[in-house]
Amino acid sequence: RPPVGAFTATATERVRRDIVGLLGLRNPAVTVTGFDRPNLYFDVVKLETKYKAAWVARYVADHPDESGIVYCATRKTTEALTDTLNQMGHPAVAYHGGMSPDAREAAQRDFITDKVPVVVATNAFGMGIDKSNVRYVIHHNLPESIEAYYQEAGRAGRDGEPSRCTLLWNESDIVTRRRLLDNDYENERLTPEEQEIVRQSKRRLLDGMVGYCRTTDCLHRYMTRYFGQELSPNAGSAAGEDIAADSSQSGRCGACSNCESTFETIDVTRVAQAISRCVHDVGQRVGSGKIVKILRGSRAQDLAWLNPERMPTFGMLKDVNEARVRDVLSQMATDGYLSIAEGRMPIVMFGARAAETAAPDFHYEIKQVERKSAAAGSGRSGGVADTADSANVPGDALGSYIPDDDEESLFQKLRELRRTIAQEIGKPPYIVFSDKTLRDMARIKPVTNAQFLAVNGVGQHKLDLYGQRFMQTIASFNAGSAS
Protein backbone atom coordinates (compact mmCIF):
# COMPACT_ATOMS: atom_id res chain seq x y z
CA ARG A 1 0.00 0.00 0.00
CA PRO A 2 1.14 3.63 -0.40
CA PRO A 3 3.05 5.35 2.44
CA VAL A 4 0.76 6.85 5.08
CA GLY A 5 1.54 9.92 7.16
CA ALA A 6 -0.47 11.28 10.11
CA PHE A 7 0.12 14.78 11.48
CA THR A 8 -1.38 16.62 14.44
CA ALA A 9 -0.40 19.52 16.66
CA THR A 10 -1.42 18.23 20.09
CA ALA A 11 -1.51 14.49 20.73
CA THR A 12 -0.79 12.74 24.02
CA GLU A 13 0.97 9.38 24.02
CA ARG A 14 -2.43 7.65 24.33
CA VAL A 15 -3.78 9.51 21.29
CA ARG A 16 -0.65 8.70 19.29
CA ARG A 17 -1.22 5.01 20.05
CA ASP A 18 -4.84 5.33 18.92
CA ILE A 19 -3.78 6.96 15.65
CA VAL A 20 -1.33 4.15 14.93
CA GLY A 21 -3.97 1.51 15.71
CA LEU A 22 -6.87 3.10 13.85
CA LEU A 23 -4.82 3.66 10.71
CA GLY A 24 -3.26 0.21 10.91
CA LEU A 25 0.28 1.57 10.70
CA ARG A 26 3.03 -1.02 10.84
CA ASN A 27 6.18 -0.10 12.79
CA PRO A 28 5.75 3.61 12.05
CA ALA A 29 8.42 6.23 12.60
CA VAL A 30 6.99 8.53 15.28
CA THR A 31 8.45 12.03 15.61
CA VAL A 32 7.50 14.42 18.41
CA THR A 33 9.07 17.85 17.99
CA GLY A 34 8.19 19.23 21.42
CA PHE A 35 5.22 21.08 22.87
CA ASP A 36 6.63 24.03 24.81
CA ARG A 37 5.97 27.56 23.55
CA PRO A 38 8.40 29.64 25.63
CA ASN A 39 7.22 32.98 24.21
CA LEU A 40 3.73 32.42 25.67
CA TYR A 41 2.90 33.62 29.17
CA PHE A 42 0.23 31.37 30.73
CA ASP A 43 -2.14 32.79 33.32
CA VAL A 44 -5.02 31.23 35.26
CA VAL A 45 -7.54 33.58 36.87
CA LYS A 46 -10.34 32.35 39.14
CA LEU A 47 -13.16 34.82 38.64
CA GLU A 48 -16.89 34.87 39.26
CA THR A 49 -18.90 34.81 36.04
CA LYS A 50 -20.42 38.24 36.68
CA TYR A 51 -16.95 39.84 36.65
CA LYS A 52 -15.57 38.17 33.53
CA ALA A 53 -16.87 40.68 30.96
CA ALA A 54 -15.40 43.59 32.93
CA TRP A 55 -12.06 41.77 33.20
CA VAL A 56 -11.94 41.19 29.43
CA ALA A 57 -12.97 44.79 28.68
CA ARG A 58 -10.26 46.11 30.99
CA TYR A 59 -7.60 43.97 29.33
CA VAL A 60 -8.68 45.01 25.82
CA ALA A 61 -8.71 48.68 26.87
CA ASP A 62 -5.18 48.37 28.24
CA HIS A 63 -3.93 46.81 24.98
CA PRO A 64 -5.61 48.88 22.23
CA ASP A 65 -2.89 48.29 19.63
CA GLU A 66 -2.79 44.51 19.98
CA SER A 67 -4.73 41.78 18.21
CA GLY A 68 -6.52 39.29 20.45
CA ILE A 69 -8.95 36.39 20.46
CA VAL A 70 -11.51 35.84 23.20
CA TYR A 71 -13.01 32.34 23.24
CA CYS A 72 -16.46 31.76 24.76
CA ALA A 73 -18.32 28.50 25.35
CA THR A 74 -21.66 29.51 23.80
CA ARG A 75 -22.97 31.60 20.94
CA LYS A 76 -25.08 33.63 23.35
CA THR A 77 -22.07 34.59 25.48
CA THR A 78 -20.06 35.36 22.33
CA GLU A 79 -22.63 37.86 21.07
CA ALA A 80 -23.23 39.40 24.52
CA LEU A 81 -19.52 39.96 25.15
CA THR A 82 -19.02 41.41 21.66
CA ASP A 83 -21.87 43.87 22.27
CA THR A 84 -20.37 44.82 25.66
CA LEU A 85 -16.95 45.56 24.17
CA ASN A 86 -18.38 47.64 21.32
CA GLN A 87 -20.63 49.60 23.68
CA MET A 88 -17.57 50.42 25.79
CA GLY A 89 -15.73 51.72 22.73
CA HIS A 90 -13.54 48.67 22.06
CA PRO A 91 -14.04 47.50 18.43
CA ALA A 92 -14.72 43.75 18.28
CA VAL A 93 -16.42 41.26 15.97
CA ALA A 94 -18.26 38.06 16.84
CA TYR A 95 -17.71 34.70 15.18
CA HIS A 96 -19.68 31.50 15.72
CA GLY A 97 -21.26 28.65 13.78
CA GLY A 98 -24.74 30.15 13.91
CA MET A 99 -23.76 33.13 11.78
CA SER A 100 -24.24 33.16 8.01
CA PRO A 101 -21.20 32.24 5.88
CA ASP A 102 -20.98 35.84 4.62
CA ALA A 103 -21.04 37.24 8.16
CA ARG A 104 -18.37 34.80 9.33
CA GLU A 105 -16.19 35.60 6.32
CA ALA A 106 -16.53 39.35 6.93
CA ALA A 107 -15.66 38.98 10.63
CA GLN A 108 -12.63 36.85 9.81
CA ARG A 109 -11.48 39.26 7.11
CA ASP A 110 -11.77 42.30 9.40
CA PHE A 111 -9.72 40.55 12.07
CA ILE A 112 -7.04 39.15 9.75
CA THR A 113 -6.52 42.55 8.06
CA ASP A 114 -6.30 44.37 11.43
CA LYS A 115 -9.42 46.40 10.66
CA VAL A 116 -10.80 45.15 13.98
CA PRO A 117 -8.33 44.19 16.72
CA VAL A 118 -10.48 41.69 18.66
CA VAL A 119 -12.58 38.70 17.68
CA VAL A 120 -14.91 37.10 20.23
CA ALA A 121 -15.63 33.56 19.13
CA THR A 122 -16.68 30.03 19.92
CA ASN A 123 -14.36 27.17 19.05
CA ALA A 124 -15.74 27.38 15.49
CA PHE A 125 -13.06 30.04 14.93
CA GLY A 126 -9.46 29.08 14.38
CA MET A 127 -9.10 26.20 11.93
CA GLY A 128 -6.95 27.46 9.07
CA ILE A 129 -6.36 30.84 10.75
CA ASP A 130 -2.67 31.72 10.63
CA LYS A 131 -2.56 35.30 11.86
CA SER A 132 0.94 35.58 13.28
CA ASN A 133 0.61 38.72 15.39
CA VAL A 134 -2.11 37.65 17.82
CA ARG A 135 -0.77 39.04 21.09
CA TYR A 136 -3.29 37.49 23.48
CA VAL A 137 -5.87 34.72 23.71
CA ILE A 138 -8.39 34.88 26.55
CA HIS A 139 -10.67 31.98 27.41
CA HIS A 140 -13.88 33.31 28.95
CA ASN A 141 -14.93 29.78 29.96
CA LEU A 142 -13.28 26.51 30.90
CA PRO A 143 -12.44 24.40 27.80
CA GLU A 144 -13.30 20.70 27.75
CA SER A 145 -9.71 19.45 27.57
CA ILE A 146 -6.05 20.43 27.63
CA GLU A 147 -5.86 19.52 23.94
CA ALA A 148 -8.63 21.99 23.06
CA TYR A 149 -7.15 24.70 25.27
CA TYR A 150 -3.61 24.36 23.96
CA GLN A 151 -4.71 24.44 20.32
CA GLU A 152 -6.77 27.60 20.87
CA ALA A 153 -4.30 29.34 23.19
CA GLY A 154 -1.51 28.41 20.79
CA ARG A 155 -2.91 30.82 18.20
CA ALA A 156 -1.15 33.56 20.13
CA GLY A 157 2.42 34.55 19.38
CA ARG A 158 3.01 32.54 16.24
CA ASP A 159 5.57 35.14 15.16
CA GLY A 160 7.65 34.26 18.21
CA GLU A 161 6.95 37.54 19.98
CA PRO A 162 5.94 37.56 23.69
CA SER A 163 2.20 36.89 23.97
CA ARG A 164 -0.29 36.03 26.68
CA CYS A 165 -2.79 33.21 27.23
CA THR A 166 -5.27 33.77 30.06
CA LEU A 167 -7.91 31.33 31.27
CA LEU A 168 -10.84 32.70 33.30
CA TRP A 169 -12.59 30.00 35.30
CA ASN A 170 -14.68 29.28 38.39
CA GLU A 171 -16.29 26.31 40.11
CA SER A 172 -19.54 26.88 38.21
CA ASP A 173 -17.67 26.32 34.94
CA ILE A 174 -16.57 22.89 36.18
CA VAL A 175 -20.08 21.93 37.29
CA THR A 176 -21.51 23.01 33.92
CA ARG A 177 -18.93 21.05 31.95
CA ARG A 178 -19.49 17.89 34.02
CA ARG A 179 -23.26 18.17 33.70
CA LEU A 180 -22.98 18.46 29.92
CA LEU A 181 -20.78 15.37 29.82
CA ASP A 182 -23.20 13.35 31.92
CA ASN A 183 -26.44 14.44 30.28
CA ASP A 184 -25.83 15.60 26.73
CA TYR A 185 -23.93 12.76 25.09
CA GLU A 186 -26.12 10.43 23.07
CA ASN A 187 -25.02 8.49 20.01
CA GLU A 188 -27.41 5.87 18.64
CA ARG A 189 -24.54 4.15 16.84
CA LEU A 190 -22.98 3.20 20.19
CA THR A 191 -24.20 0.72 22.77
CA PRO A 192 -24.89 2.03 26.29
CA GLU A 193 -21.61 0.45 27.42
CA GLU A 194 -19.68 2.17 24.64
CA GLN A 195 -21.35 5.49 25.42
CA GLU A 196 -20.27 5.15 29.04
CA ILE A 197 -16.68 4.50 27.95
CA VAL A 198 -16.81 7.69 25.87
CA ARG A 199 -18.18 9.63 28.85
CA GLN A 200 -15.44 8.31 31.11
CA SER A 201 -12.82 9.30 28.55
CA LYS A 202 -14.22 12.81 28.29
CA ARG A 203 -14.34 13.09 32.09
CA ARG A 204 -10.64 12.23 32.24
CA LEU A 205 -9.91 14.91 29.65
CA LEU A 206 -11.90 17.44 31.68
CA ASP A 207 -10.08 16.38 34.86
CA GLY A 208 -6.84 17.30 33.13
CA MET A 209 -8.22 20.76 32.42
CA VAL A 210 -9.43 21.17 36.01
CA GLY A 211 -6.01 20.08 37.19
CA TYR A 212 -4.45 22.85 35.10
CA CYS A 213 -6.61 25.41 36.90
CA ARG A 214 -5.79 24.08 40.36
CA THR A 215 -2.17 23.00 40.06
CA THR A 216 0.54 24.86 41.96
CA ASP A 217 3.14 23.59 39.50
CA CYS A 218 4.64 25.65 36.68
CA LEU A 219 1.97 25.89 33.98
CA HIS A 220 4.53 25.31 31.21
CA ARG A 221 5.68 22.14 32.94
CA TYR A 222 2.13 20.98 33.57
CA MET A 223 1.22 21.44 29.91
CA THR A 224 4.26 19.72 28.44
CA ARG A 225 4.09 16.87 30.98
CA TYR A 226 0.48 16.27 29.95
CA PHE A 227 1.67 15.66 26.40
CA GLY A 228 4.48 13.41 27.56
CA GLN A 229 7.38 15.86 27.47
CA GLU A 230 9.46 16.74 30.52
CA LEU A 231 11.23 20.09 30.31
CA SER A 232 14.91 19.81 31.15
CA PRO A 233 18.09 21.81 30.50
CA ASN A 234 19.06 19.28 27.84
CA ALA A 235 15.88 19.27 25.79
CA GLY A 236 13.79 21.61 23.69
CA SER A 237 14.55 24.89 21.99
CA ALA A 238 17.09 27.36 23.29
CA ALA A 239 14.36 29.40 24.94
CA GLY A 240 12.78 26.27 26.32
CA GLU A 241 16.11 25.23 27.79
CA ASP A 242 16.41 28.57 29.53
CA ILE A 243 12.97 28.11 31.07
CA ALA A 244 13.74 24.58 32.19
CA ALA A 245 17.12 25.52 33.61
CA ASP A 246 15.65 28.44 35.50
CA SER A 247 12.81 26.26 36.82
CA SER A 248 15.21 23.61 38.07
CA GLN A 249 17.36 26.18 39.87
CA SER A 250 14.77 28.56 41.33
CA GLY A 251 11.39 26.88 40.78
CA ARG A 252 10.25 29.87 38.68
CA CYS A 253 9.95 29.82 34.91
CA GLY A 254 9.14 33.53 34.57
CA ALA A 255 6.52 32.61 32.00
CA CYS A 256 3.39 31.74 33.99
CA SER A 257 1.31 33.13 36.82
CA ASN A 258 1.97 30.14 39.07
CA CYS A 259 5.68 30.84 39.06
CA GLU A 260 4.87 34.43 39.96
CA SER A 261 3.28 33.10 43.20
CA THR A 262 0.01 35.00 42.83
CA PHE A 263 -2.02 32.47 44.79
CA GLU A 264 -2.26 30.79 48.17
CA THR A 265 -1.82 27.04 48.63
CA ILE A 266 -3.06 24.31 50.96
CA ASP A 267 -0.74 21.63 52.28
CA VAL A 268 -2.40 18.30 51.43
CA THR A 269 0.63 16.06 51.93
CA ARG A 270 -1.16 13.85 54.46
CA VAL A 271 -4.17 13.44 52.16
CA ALA A 272 -2.00 12.58 49.15
CA GLN A 273 0.02 9.99 51.08
CA ALA A 274 -3.17 8.40 52.43
CA ILE A 275 -4.60 8.15 48.91
CA SER A 276 -1.42 6.53 47.63
CA ARG A 277 -1.44 4.00 50.48
CA CYS A 278 -5.09 3.19 49.88
CA VAL A 279 -4.40 2.50 46.19
CA HIS A 280 -1.81 0.03 47.44
CA ASP A 281 -4.21 -1.49 49.99
CA VAL A 282 -6.87 -2.21 47.35
CA GLY A 283 -4.32 -3.64 44.94
CA GLN A 284 -5.02 -1.04 42.26
CA ARG A 285 -8.39 -2.71 41.59
CA VAL A 286 -11.04 -0.03 42.18
CA GLY A 287 -12.08 3.42 41.02
CA SER A 288 -11.78 6.77 42.72
CA GLY A 289 -15.25 6.62 44.33
CA LYS A 290 -14.45 3.50 46.33
CA ILE A 291 -11.05 4.84 47.36
CA VAL A 292 -12.69 7.96 48.75
CA LYS A 293 -15.27 5.87 50.63
CA ILE A 294 -12.60 3.65 52.20
CA LEU A 295 -10.48 6.59 53.29
CA ARG A 296 -13.49 8.24 54.91
CA GLY A 297 -14.53 5.04 56.71
CA SER A 298 -17.66 4.20 54.73
CA ARG A 299 -19.35 0.83 55.37
CA ALA A 300 -21.29 0.92 52.10
CA GLN A 301 -22.50 -2.45 50.80
CA ASP A 302 -20.58 -2.14 47.53
CA LEU A 303 -17.33 -2.23 49.52
CA ALA A 304 -18.06 -5.45 51.42
CA TRP A 305 -16.12 -7.71 49.06
CA LEU A 306 -12.96 -5.71 49.82
CA ASN A 307 -13.17 -6.09 53.62
CA PRO A 308 -12.10 -2.46 53.95
CA GLU A 309 -12.18 -2.49 57.78
CA ARG A 310 -9.03 -4.61 57.74
CA MET A 311 -7.12 -2.08 55.65
CA PRO A 312 -4.67 0.29 57.41
CA THR A 313 -6.10 3.21 55.45
CA PHE A 314 -9.76 2.56 56.38
CA GLY A 315 -11.12 5.80 57.88
CA MET A 316 -7.71 7.47 57.71
CA LEU A 317 -9.27 10.63 56.26
CA LYS A 318 -12.61 10.60 58.04
CA ASP A 319 -11.88 14.15 59.21
CA VAL A 320 -11.35 15.42 55.65
CA ASN A 321 -14.17 16.70 53.47
CA GLU A 322 -15.11 14.28 50.67
CA ALA A 323 -14.78 16.98 48.00
CA ARG A 324 -11.24 17.75 49.21
CA VAL A 325 -10.22 14.09 48.96
CA ARG A 326 -11.63 13.90 45.43
CA ASP A 327 -9.85 17.10 44.43
CA VAL A 328 -6.49 15.84 45.70
CA LEU A 329 -6.96 12.45 44.02
CA SER A 330 -7.80 14.15 40.72
CA GLN A 331 -4.80 16.45 41.03
CA MET A 332 -2.51 13.50 41.79
CA ALA A 333 -3.70 11.83 38.59
CA THR A 334 -3.02 14.93 36.50
CA ASP A 335 0.40 15.38 38.14
CA GLY A 336 1.46 11.80 37.39
CA TYR A 337 1.37 10.29 40.91
CA LEU A 338 -1.66 8.22 39.90
CA SER A 339 -3.06 7.06 36.57
CA ILE A 340 -6.61 6.25 35.55
CA ALA A 341 -7.03 3.09 33.47
CA GLU A 342 -8.94 3.13 30.20
CA GLY A 343 -12.20 1.25 29.82
CA ARG A 344 -15.70 1.24 31.25
CA MET A 345 -14.43 1.04 34.83
CA PRO A 346 -11.74 3.72 35.32
CA ILE A 347 -9.48 1.97 37.82
CA VAL A 348 -7.05 4.11 39.86
CA MET A 349 -3.50 2.84 39.60
CA PHE A 350 -0.03 4.14 40.41
CA GLY A 351 1.48 6.66 38.02
CA ALA A 352 5.07 7.20 36.98
CA ARG A 353 5.74 9.44 40.01
CA ALA A 354 4.03 7.23 42.59
CA ALA A 355 7.24 6.33 44.43
CA GLU A 356 7.76 10.00 45.32
CA THR A 357 4.81 9.92 47.73
CA ALA A 358 6.69 7.44 49.95
CA ALA A 359 9.81 9.59 50.20
CA PRO A 360 10.50 11.16 53.64
CA ASP A 361 10.68 14.65 52.14
CA PHE A 362 7.51 14.35 50.03
CA HIS A 363 5.43 17.52 50.12
CA TYR A 364 2.24 18.22 48.17
CA GLU A 365 0.13 21.35 47.84
CA ILE A 366 -2.92 22.35 45.86
CA LYS A 367 -4.12 25.81 44.99
CA GLN A 368 -6.30 27.67 47.47
CA VAL A 369 -9.78 28.49 46.18
CA GLU A 370 -9.33 32.23 46.66
CA ARG A 371 -6.54 34.16 44.98
CA LYS A 372 -4.77 37.11 46.52
CA SER A 373 -3.59 40.26 44.80
CA ALA A 374 -0.11 40.17 43.36
CA ALA A 375 0.54 43.86 43.77
CA ALA A 376 3.69 43.04 45.68
CA GLY A 377 4.92 40.66 42.99
CA SER A 378 7.40 41.23 40.20
CA GLY A 379 4.92 43.21 38.15
CA ARG A 380 5.43 41.05 35.07
CA SER A 381 2.21 39.14 35.42
CA GLY A 382 0.35 41.74 37.44
CA GLY A 383 -2.29 40.31 39.71
CA VAL A 384 -5.94 39.45 39.31
CA ALA A 385 -8.14 38.70 42.25
CA ASP A 386 -11.78 37.65 42.26
CA THR A 387 -13.25 41.09 41.55
CA ALA A 388 -13.50 43.25 38.48
CA ASP A 389 -11.80 46.10 40.34
CA SER A 390 -8.69 43.97 40.66
CA ALA A 391 -8.26 43.45 36.94
CA ASN A 392 -4.82 45.06 36.92
CA VAL A 393 -3.62 43.10 33.92
CA PRO A 394 -0.03 43.21 32.70
CA GLY A 395 1.47 44.66 29.58
CA ASP A 396 4.48 42.48 28.89
CA ALA A 397 5.08 38.76 28.75
CA LEU A 398 8.04 36.44 28.90
CA GLY A 399 11.17 37.70 27.22
CA SER A 400 9.70 41.04 26.20
CA TYR A 401 12.21 43.85 25.81
CA ILE A 402 11.05 47.36 26.75
CA PRO A 403 11.44 49.72 23.79
CA ASP A 404 12.25 53.37 24.40
CA ASP A 405 9.81 56.07 23.34
CA ASP A 406 11.47 56.63 19.96
CA GLU A 407 11.40 52.94 19.09
CA GLU A 408 7.74 52.66 20.07
CA SER A 409 6.82 55.72 17.98
CA LEU A 410 8.69 54.38 14.96
CA PHE A 411 7.11 50.95 15.44
CA GLN A 412 3.64 52.52 15.26
CA LYS A 413 4.57 54.39 12.05
CA LEU A 414 5.88 51.17 10.51
CA ARG A 415 2.63 49.43 11.45
CA GLU A 416 0.65 52.19 9.69
CA LEU A 417 2.76 51.74 6.55
CA ARG A 418 2.33 47.97 6.74
CA ARG A 419 -1.45 48.36 6.98
CA THR A 420 -1.46 50.68 3.95
CA ILE A 421 0.59 48.25 1.86
CA ALA A 422 -1.60 45.33 2.97
CA GLN A 423 -4.72 47.17 1.81
CA GLU A 424 -3.07 47.94 -1.54
CA ILE A 425 -2.17 44.31 -2.22
CA GLY A 426 -5.30 42.83 -0.64
CA LYS A 427 -3.39 40.71 1.88
CA PRO A 428 -3.32 40.49 5.71
CA PRO A 429 -0.72 42.87 7.25
CA TYR A 430 1.38 40.06 8.71
CA ILE A 431 2.03 38.82 5.16
CA VAL A 432 4.00 42.03 4.57
CA PHE A 433 6.06 41.86 7.76
CA SER A 434 5.44 40.35 11.19
CA ASP A 435 5.37 42.41 14.38
CA LYS A 436 8.68 40.80 15.32
CA THR A 437 10.26 42.10 12.11
CA LEU A 438 8.85 45.59 12.65
CA ARG A 439 10.17 45.61 16.21
CA ASP A 440 13.64 44.72 14.96
CA MET A 441 13.32 47.32 12.21
CA ALA A 442 12.46 49.99 14.79
CA ARG A 443 15.48 48.96 16.84
CA ILE A 444 18.00 48.86 13.95
CA LYS A 445 16.52 51.78 11.94
CA PRO A 446 17.97 50.60 8.60
CA VAL A 447 18.44 53.15 5.81
CA THR A 448 20.58 51.07 3.42
CA ASN A 449 19.90 47.78 1.65
CA ALA A 450 22.58 46.01 3.68
CA GLN A 451 21.14 47.28 6.94
CA PHE A 452 17.63 46.33 5.86
CA LEU A 453 18.71 42.77 5.08
CA ALA A 454 20.10 42.51 8.63
CA VAL A 455 16.58 42.88 10.06
CA ASN A 456 15.08 39.67 11.42
CA GLY A 457 12.63 38.21 8.85
CA VAL A 458 13.82 40.25 5.85
CA GLY A 459 15.13 38.58 2.69
CA GLN A 460 16.00 39.84 -0.75
CA HIS A 461 12.43 39.35 -2.01
CA LYS A 462 10.89 41.47 0.77
CA LEU A 463 13.65 44.06 0.31
CA ASP A 464 12.79 44.34 -3.39
CA LEU A 465 9.05 44.57 -2.71
CA TYR A 466 8.87 46.89 0.30
CA GLY A 467 12.34 47.99 1.33
CA GLN A 468 12.34 51.43 -0.28
CA ARG A 469 9.08 52.55 1.30
CA PHE A 470 10.00 51.34 4.77
CA MET A 471 13.47 52.91 4.60
CA GLN A 472 11.95 56.20 3.48
CA THR A 473 9.64 56.14 6.52
CA ILE A 474 12.58 55.39 8.80
CA ALA A 475 14.72 58.14 7.24
CA SER A 476 11.90 60.66 7.66
CA PHE A 477 11.47 59.57 11.28
CA ASN A 478 15.22 59.90 11.94
CA ALA A 479 15.25 63.38 10.43
CA GLY A 480 12.32 64.44 12.57
CA SER A 481 13.93 63.07 15.73
CA ALA A 482 17.20 64.83 14.99
CA SER A 483 15.49 68.17 14.58
Side-chain angles (χ1 to χ4, degrees):
R1 68 179 188 179
V4 176
F7 304 89
T8 183
T10 50
T12 62
E13 183 177 351
R14 176 182 293 174
V15 172
R16 295 197 292 271
R17 290 199 307 267
D18 288 345
I19 291 172
V20 171
L22 290 171
L23 294 181
L25 303 181
R26 298 188 291 268
N27 300 318
V30 179
T31 300
V32 180
T33 58
F35 295 94
D36 193 33
R37 295 279 303 282
N39 66 307
L40 301 184
Y41 187 102
F42 288 106
D43 190 21
V44 176
V45 180
K46 188 170 190 294
L47 200 63
E48 291 182 50
T49 301
K50 61 183 178 182
Y51 294 128
K52 287 184 178 182
W55 195 102
V56 173
R58 172 69 180 276
Y59 191 96
V60 171
D62 287 349
H63 300 78
D65 297 322
E66 296 181 354
S67 289
I69 303 172
V70 183
Y71 280 106
C72 299
T74 67
R75 298 172 182 179
K76 180 179 179 181
T77 304
T78 297
E79 293 180 351
L81 183 56
T82 303
D83 289 343
T84 297
L85 291 176
N86 283 308
Q87 289 168 10
M88 296 179 71
H90 312 311
V93 292
Y95 187 105
H96 60 72
M99 297 165 57
S100 69
D102 288 344
R104 291 201 304 272
E105 182 180 352
Q108 179 175 319
R109 182 174 60 251
D110 288 348
F111 179 65
I112 292 295
T113 59
D114 286 345
K115 183 178 180 180
V116 176
V118 179
V119 60
V120 184
T122 62
N123 58 10
F125 181 80
M127 294 299 291
I129 303 299
D130 191 24
K131 181 175 170 64
S132 64
N133 65 331
V134 175
R135 291 278 76 86
Y136 60 87
V137 173
I138 299 171
H139 276 77
H140 185 273
N141 304 98
L142 184 75
E144 62 187 12
S145 68
I146 290 288
E147 287 89 342
Y149 178 67
Y150 205 48
Q151 283 192 358
E152 292 163 2
R155 293 186 176 115
R158 290 188 172 180
D159 56 4
E161 285 289 277
S163 304
R164 189 177 196 89
C165 306
T166 298
L167 170 60
L168 309 181
W169 75 287
N170 55 48
E171 299 297 329
S172 178
D173 288 343
I174 299 174
V175 172
T176 299
R177 281 292 184 189
R178 285 178 173 160
R179 186 174 63 246
L180 289 174
L181 288 183
D182 289 339
N183 298 334
D184 290 355
Y185 189 83
E186 293 293 338
N187 189 327
E188 61 184 15
R189 293 176 297 178
L190 301 179
T191 66
E193 291 76 13
E194 290 172 333
Q195 289 188 30
E196 181 59 26
I197 291 174
V198 171
R199 288 193 187 94
Q200 293 289 355
S201 176
K202 290 183 176 292
R203 286 176 193 141
R204 285 196 295 273
L205 293 176
L206 179 59
D207 285 344
M209 195 68 245
V210 173
Y212 176 81
C213 296
R214 292 177 173 166
T215 186
T216 62
D217 198 2
C218 166
L219 296 179
H220 275 268
R221 286 186 174 277
Y222 183 96
M223 198 81 73
T224 54
R225 185 185 298 127
Y226 178 88
F227 290 111
Q229 175 192 3
E230 282 289 349
L231 293 182
S232 69
N234 299 317
S237 65
E241 289 171 3
D242 292 341
I243 289 177
D246 183 60
S247 293
S248 63
Q249 293 169 11
S250 67
R252 295 175 179 268
C253 74
C256 77
S257 56
N258 275 10
C259 288
E260 294 290 323
S261 299
T262 58
F263 58 87
E264 295 179 346
T265 61
I266 309 168
D267 187 343
V268 291
T269 303
R270 181 175 75 93
V271 178
Q273 289 176 325
I275 291 172
S276 185
R277 290 169 186 165
C278 188
V279 172
H280 173 270
D281 287 351
V282 299
Q284 305 180 77
R285 293 179 295 165
V286 301
S288 59
K290 288 184 172 60
I291 288 174
V292 173
K293 288 180 181 180
I294 292 170
L295 287 167
R296 300 195 71 248
S298 171
R299 300 180 186 277
Q301 189 62 36
D302 62 343
L303 298 176
W305 65 279
L306 290 166
N307 293 318
E309 293 89 346
R310 298 183 179 181
M311 297 179 183
T313 51
F314 181 75
M316 185 175 282
L317 298 180
K318 60 184 178 182
D319 60 325
V320 181
N321 181 277
E322 178 180 341
R324 173 62 51 77
V325 179
R326 288 185 178 277
D327 283 347
V328 175
L329 192 154
S330 175
Q331 193 65 47
M332 290 177 71
T334 55
D335 286 344
Y337 297 103
L338 302 173
S339 68
I340 311 297
E342 300 179 49
R344 187 173 184 275
M345 298 298 294
I347 305 301
V348 178
M349 300 184 296
F350 289 126
R353 304 176 65 191
E356 296 178 32
T357 64
D361 59 347
F362 175 71
H363 183 76
Y364 198 55
E365 295 181 344
I366 61 173
K367 193 176 292 184
Q368 175 64 282
V369 172
E370 300 295 333
R371 288 169 60 106
K372 62 181 179 181
S373 172
S378 70
R380 171 175 286 166
S381 70
V384 184
D386 285 344
T387 66
D389 292 338
S390 301
N392 51 318
V393 290
D396 295 304
L398 170 66
S400 178
Y401 81 98
I402 307 300
D404 59 30
D405 290 343
D406 278 353
E407 285 183 20
E408 187 59 32
S409 297
L410 177 55
F411 173 70
Q412 295 302 331
K413 289 184 178 298
L414 296 176
R415 287 188 70 195
E416 292 173 7
L417 174 58
R418 180 182 66 176
R419 185 180 298 112
T420 299
I421 293 174
Q423 291 172 348
E424 292 172 357
I425 64 177
K427 299 288 186 180
Y430 66 83
I431 294 296
V432 180
F433 285 123
S434 69
D435 279 6
K436 185 175 184 178
T437 297
L438 295 188
R439 287 285 184 193
D440 205 36
M441 206 178 292
R443 181 179 63 84
I444 295 176
K445 300 181 177 65
V447 291
T448 68
N449 287 357
Q451 291 173 345
F452 201 78
L453 286 171
V455 174
N456 186 303
V458 173
Q460 186 64 46
H461 182 62
K462 289 289 183 75
L463 170 63
D464 295 340
L465 286 176
Y466 314 122
Q468 197 61 36
R469 294 177 69 175
F470 277 91
M471 285 189 283
Q472 286 175 353
T473 298
I474 293 169
S476 298
F477 179 85
N478 289 341
S481 298
S483 62

